[in-house]
Each structure stands twice: as C-alpha cells, then as structure tokens.
Amino acid sequence: MSRAEDIFQKLIYFGEDAIDEFILNQQSEELFLDFKQAVSTGKNFTTLHRDDRKNLAKAISGFGNSEGGVVLWGVECSRDIEIGDVAKAKVKVKNVHRFLSWLENAISGCTIPSHNRVRNHIVSIDENGDGFIATYIPKCELAPLMTTTNGGIYIRSGSNNMPAPYAVIAGMFGRSPQPNVELLVGNKMLEVLDNADEDMLYPNSIDNPPEKYVKISFAFQIENQSNVIAREIYLSCRTLNNGGEYNKVRFLNYNQMDSIPGIEGQLNLITRPELRLPPRGILKFSNVQIILSPYIEEDFELEGVIGADDAAPKDFRISIPKNKLRSFVARALRQEEENTALLNEFFNEFFMSVN
C-alpha cells in the first residue's frame, strides 16, 4: 500500500478523529498530503468555485504526475517557520454532499488527459450536512497530466505542487508506461484441526506431538493495477523463523509458474514467457498454509518480494513476536472467538506491505 493510499484509508477508517489527530500533532502538509479550505460554501454558488477548481486541477496534476497524494477539504493551515504549513483548525465544508457532487463532476475536466482513478470520500458529516471530504489521487499511468485551468504541468515537490521543469516533462513524454503490480491476499481461512487430520501432520514417531493445531490458509495473488500489460511477474518469499520445530509453512499449487530452486523454506516463482497479465488482471501465484502448534519457541517471520519486468519491486512480510503468537494460537485453539475476527486480526496486525 502506498503512503497516499495509507493516508486515505486512515481517514476512511478513523473519520474525524484522524483530522483531530492531524491538528493535535500539528501535521504538516507534505509530499502526499494537502489541506484545503473550500471556497464554494455560500448559498449563491451553483457550481464549483474557480479557486476550488484550480486547486483541484493542480492537485490532480501534481499528485498524479508524482507518487500520488490526498487532498483533505475542510482544514485551515497555519504557517510554521520551522516545519511549514501545519493543520491548525477545522473549517467544515458547507453542504458536503453538494460539494462532493461538484468535485465528482469537475474531475474529468481538470486535466488532459483526464485521471479516471481519482476517488472522493466524505470523512464525516454533521446534522447540518456540513463536514469534510478526502480526495485520493493515485499516481497516473498516463502522465504527464496538464491542467485545463492554466495549461500547467505540475509535480509534487515537498508540500507544494510546482510547475514541472522542461527536463522532467521531456523525460515523462519519453518514458513508456510501466506496469504496477500489487500483492493481494485471498481465499483466507482459519481451521483448528486434530493431528489425525491431513494424514497425520505430526507422526506418532515424534515425541509428544500436539493433539491439535491451527492452520491458516490463504492465496498469494497479484493484480496489475497499471494500464499496460505486465510480463515476467515474479514472487519470492522465504521463512526466516517459523515459531518452533512443530510449526510449518507450506506452498502449494503453482503449476502455471516456473519454480526456481532455492534454499529450504524459500519459494521462487516467475511466470512463463508466454504469460501476459492485462490491466486490472489478477493472477494467482500460490496457496500458502501456515501450520501453528501450541509449542511456540521463537518469533514467526516470513518475508518476500513481488514485481514484474520494468516494474519496481515491492516487499512484504509477516512478522509475529513469539508472545503474540502464543496468545493468538491459544485463543484460536479455545475456539471462543469467530474465525473471521481472528483472521482479520492476523492479517491486519501481522501482515505488512512495504512499497
């Protein structure tokens, strides 16, 4: 998950509390975050004010031509000499649903070409219909984006959208679009099984085999989120620590891939030369099973990387300290909680994607 998407998801999940935190901590405008007050707030307005449209167009161009970002509408900035523009106070957008409609209608006409992946979300709304809106602008594969308000091409520099130098623009035009692949985790399942299941996972020849164990199953999938075909897609991962000798990690069902031998506990996969993943396509790489017994002796650590030809590699990891692992396994074995809740906790707390 990119930094911009992380900010957007935080605003969706925590709502106005996230804005209060920005103000309390004097969050500064930065490479991925911009604060704006809405001008189109009076009753006399029937469309988006030209200043709001100008700010929106510059943000779409600047963030879209860079690594993406979020515009938070409804926050006043105060200039700090040392750290720059910081969140000072909440200035709610009047009639937030109307303002949202104006934003949605304006997006496609703000830049050439238009950025069709911009998303808006109402962060919160009060009883009067006033509130806050977050506009998420991901990196655009069709860059450079030129504003229709003044014909400018912007890039994000620090906390500002700056006109792009000629050399940067020339490089943008000369660079062919690159694929962008993201890791997805699907088909998640948690089961508590007896040792007698699955052909005796722990044979009787083992001293004191566990009577029950926890099995977490999921699939590594990759989505092509770009507008170009992705080729030579790869996934490599390895288990650094599995929690103890009675714990296992198994990789299954990757027949569509070329498997490259590695060290024990390592998986190296790459798609065959003839396989091409179209834009928005999803490819299943491997089923993974993590077998956890009650005997936890060390931390659990699994790390990996995904990527494609001409695409930047992206790291991921599952990291669980042994104390938390013991607690998680014990709770799962007691079966006092819903498996869905435990699965959500496992992937939300322990699974990390690092771009």
Side-chain angles (χ1 to χ4, degrees), residues 107-307:
I107 286 171
S108 62
C110 280
T111 59
I112 300 174
S114 61
H115 193 344
N116 59 7
R117 295 177 60 200
V118 177
R119 293 163 53 196
N120 293 297
H121 175 76
I122 294 178
V123 177
S124 70
I125 185 170
D126 62 20
E127 64 276 5
N128 297 319
D130 304 333
F132 307 90
I133 293 178
T135 300
Y136 169 54
I137 305 164
K139 179 180 179 180
C140 184
E141 301 298 331
L142 301 177
L145 300 174
M146 181 182 70
T147 66
T148 56
T149 52
N150 64 354
I153 297 176
Y154 294 86
I155 57 173
R156 191 69 176 174
S157 176
S159 61
N160 297 304
N161 295 306
M162 304 294 293
Y166 173 81
V168 173
I169 297 173
M172 287 174 142
F173 275 110
R175 184 187 65 191
S176 60
Q178 298 173 321
N180 176 35
V181 294
E182 294 287 349
L183 179 67
L184 304 178
V185 177
N187 304 330
K188 294 179 284 189
M189 183 180 299
L190 183 147
E191 302 172 273
V192 176
L193 301 175
D194 294 324
N195 186 32
D197 297 329
E198 294 198 359
D199 301 324
M200 294 288 290
L201 181 67
Y202 303 102
N204 289 329
S205 58
I206 296 178
D207 293 336
N208 301 318
E211 295 181 0
K212 291 182 179 292
Y213 60 89
V214 178
K215 183 173 77 172
I216 298 174
S217 306
F218 57 94
F220 278 141
Q221 302 170 338
I222 290 181
E223 181 181 14
N224 180 9
Q225 295 188 351
S226 69
N227 291 321
V228 297
I229 294 172
R231 297 177 174 85
E232 297 186 9
I233 309 163
Y234 59 85
L235 179 147
S236 297
C237 62
R238 60 175 178 165
T239 306
L240 303 178
N241 296 299
N242 59 12
E245 62 176 329
Y246 290 112
N247 302 304
K248 304 178 186 293
V249 177
R250 303 195 294 196
F251 303 103
L252 311 168
N253 299 337
Y254 41 86
N255 294 328
Q256 297 180 4
M257 314 295 162
D258 285 332
S259 177
I260 302 170
I263 62 176
E264 183 179 354
Q266 185 176 30
L267 175 70
N268 301 311
L269 300 176
I270 189 167
T271 56
R272 292 168 183 165
E274 65 272 15
L275 191 147
R276 297 170 296 168
L277 188 63
R280 314 297 181 266
I282 297 177
L283 177 68
K284 181 177 178 180
F285 256 87
S286 174
N287 290 323
V288 183
Q289 293 180 352
I290 298 177
I291 310 297
L292 300 172
S293 77
Y295 307 135
I296 306 298
E297 302 167 354
E298 58 186 10
D299 299 342
F300 181 96
E301 292 181 278
L302 181 151
E303 67 176 16
V305 60
I306 64 166

Side-chain angles (χ1 to χ4, degrees), residues 299-337:
D299 299 342
F300 181 96
E301 292 181 278
L302 181 151
E303 67 176 16
V305 60
I306 64 166
D309 187 30
D310 290 331
K314 298 179 180 179
D315 297 320
F316 64 90
R317 71 172 65 96
I318 299 175
S319 178
I320 317 174
K322 60 183 177 182
N323 290 337
K324 288 191 175 183
L325 187 59
R326 287 173 185 152
S327 173
F328 179 85
V329 172
R331 288 160 54 203
L333 290 174
R334 288 197 299 268
Q335 296 182 280
E336 296 174 355
E337 302 175 61

